[in-house]
Amino acid sequence: MDFAPTEEQAAAQGLAARIFGDLSTPERLAAAGTGTDAGLWKELCAAGLTAAVEETGLLGLVLLLEEQGRTTAQVPFAASCVYGLLAVAGHGSDEQRERLLPPLRDGTAVATGAFPARGGIRADGGGRLSGSVPYVPWLRDADLVLVPDRERRLWIVRTGDAGVLAEPVETTAPWSAARLVLDGASGERLGGAGAYAAVLAAGRTAFAGLQAGVCAGSLARAVAHTNTREQFGRPLSTKQGVLLRAADAHMDTETIRVTAYEAAWRQDAGLPYGPQALTAAWWASEAGKRVVHAGQHLHGGTGADLDHPVHRHFLWGRQLDAYLGCGSEVLQELGESLVKEGME
């Protein structure tokens, strides 16, 4: 295994780091509220970073999402790439790719997904979908939503069509979320029998990469704070308890990162990576919440300030902790997959 980024991946990551660092400031994040920072999204798309994901692969996307997570940038980058670009490119027909990919590449269309499947959507023989999904991130900003039905078949639904309703909901992380309600909505099939599992695995890997960035950003803020904050005439960073807490958080962050890298690398190499994606998701859940709790704790009373930037990392980390399956749920799924694999 070689996780070293290619020249193209490294260039895209560097460009993303600069754009997110320059534009995803606390002031702009506060102004964006729970919606998308339209200016930042436009800048990312104009720089070709959304379109580049097709060329740089899942590992390239993980690298870009790390940079987003460091600043908790308020854009639907992960959702639109996983449930839009990569899903259509990997599982769409020639006609679907020709029709749907151009607006997804340039950002004029935004996609999201009603994942994971919870059995709330049923489809009739004519491709009409009914049911509801209680929470879909970025749905209020999406033009397309990828919906799995009870049989885990994938359908593309246009949010502006008849029978499609997005009821705004608020979550811990400000991801412009909404409850999806379908009442005889027209759906367009995407992919075959294995498409759902493939998109879910890619999503778990990508969002683990996002969690690695969120954790890295939280820890970086905690390090900066404890290096400058003094207690009894000494920086907090010289206290053994602080050092040990930060060291544990660093190791957890690196574990999330390397497991996401491994899963993404295997997918790009055409190797089976279902267990690796579940492993990355488990670490993103279990270790991720430890890191963002540590980041807030190391800020002391400042960490309780809802307006402090570290609090955004805490909220994002806790949302990612349960998105696409909480730790215990993912661990059970991983165990079942390993047992099944051993019996084959």
Side-chain angles (χ1 to χ4, degrees):
M1 291 181 289
D2 182 6
F3 302 152
T6 64
E7 184 177 343
E8 292 78 10
Q9 289 170 339
Q13 184 181 23
L15 179 58
R18 180 178 62 79
I19 294 174
F20 285 129
D22 290 346
L23 298 183
S24 186
T25 62
E27 294 77 19
R28 287 178 67 109
L29 291 171
T34 61
T36 297
D37 183 334
L40 175 55
W41 180 243
K42 183 178 180 180
E43 186 73 19
L44 289 168
C45 296
L49 289 176
T50 47
V53 170
E54 287 182 87
E55 300 297 327
T56 59
L58 187 55
L59 180 56
L61 177 58
V62 165
L63 294 171
L64 297 179
L65 292 176
E66 271 195 82
E67 301 305 327
Q68 179 186 1
R70 291 179 197 276
T71 61
T72 60
Q74 200 68 15
V75 287
F77 199 10
S80 199
C81 288
V82 169
Y83 304 124
L85 268 173
L86 295 183
V88 173
H91 306 285
S93 65
D94 291 341
E95 187 278 330
Q96 286 175 319
R97 288 195 291 267
E98 183 178 354
R99 172 168 47 89
L100 297 174
L101 286 179
L104 290 168
R105 289 178 184 132
D106 63 23
T108 54
V110 172
T112 189
F115 278 65
R118 301 293 188 189
I121 302 297
R122 57 191 180 277
D124 64 19
R128 296 287 175 176
L129 307 178
S130 298
S132 64
V133 179
Y135 158 70
V136 179
W138 302 108
L139 182 57
R140 280 181 269 166
D141 296 326
D143 305 283
L144 306 172
V145 54
L146 191 60
V147 180
D149 65 16
R150 289 178 177 177
E151 284 71 43
R152 297 189 171 183
R153 296 171 297 186
L154 293 183
W155 304 85
I156 299 173
V157 174
R158 296 188 177 274
T159 55
D161 284 356
V164 182
L165 178 64
E167 300 175 340
V169 297
E170 299 303 329
T171 64
T172 53
W175 288 355
S176 194
R179 178 173 180 257
L180 177 66
V181 180
L182 302 178
D183 185 10
S186 178
E188 177 183 352
R189 275 297 304 274
L190 181 74
Y196 170 79
V199 172
L200 179 58
R204 281 171 164 161
T205 303
F207 281 95
L210 183 62
Q211 180 76 303
V214 169
C215 291
S218 174
L219 184 57
R221 292 188 182 279
V223 169
H225 176 80
T226 55
N227 277 334
T228 56
R229 184 78 169 183
E230 292 190 356
Q231 186 180 64
F232 305 119
R234 295 171 55 196
L236 287 174
S237 59
T238 63
K239 309 293 184 182
Q240 187 178 44
V242 172
L243 289 169
L244 292 174
R245 190 80 190 273
D248 286 343
H250 172 72
M251 293 303 297
D252 273 338
T253 300
E254 289 301 300
T255 305
I256 300 169
R257 177 184 288 115
V258 75
T259 52
Y261 283 7
E262 180 185 8
W265 177 84
R266 290 182 65 89
Q267 196 275 350
D268 291 342
L271 300 171
Y273 77 109
Q276 287 77 15
L278 287 165
T279 300
W282 184 82
W283 278 105
S285 175
E286 293 296 310
K289 61 188 174 188
R290 287 198 297 265
V291 174
V292 295
H293 274 268
Q296 195 167 34
H297 186 201
L298 290 173
H299 277 77
T302 305
D305 183 355
L306 301 186
D307 295 324
H308 194 281
V310 78
H311 189 65
R312 290 183 62 89
H313 290 272
F314 175 77
L315 296 179
W316 277 58
R318 289 314 309 257
Q319 190 69 47
L320 287 166
D321 152 33
Y323 182 54
L324 299 182
C326 63
S328 57
E329 182 179 6
V330 170
L331 189 62
Q332 178 180 351
E333 190 176 339
L334 175 59
E336 291 172 351
S337 72
L338 292 177
V339 169
K340 181 179 179 181
E341 183 179 300
M343 296 174 64
E344 292 177 349

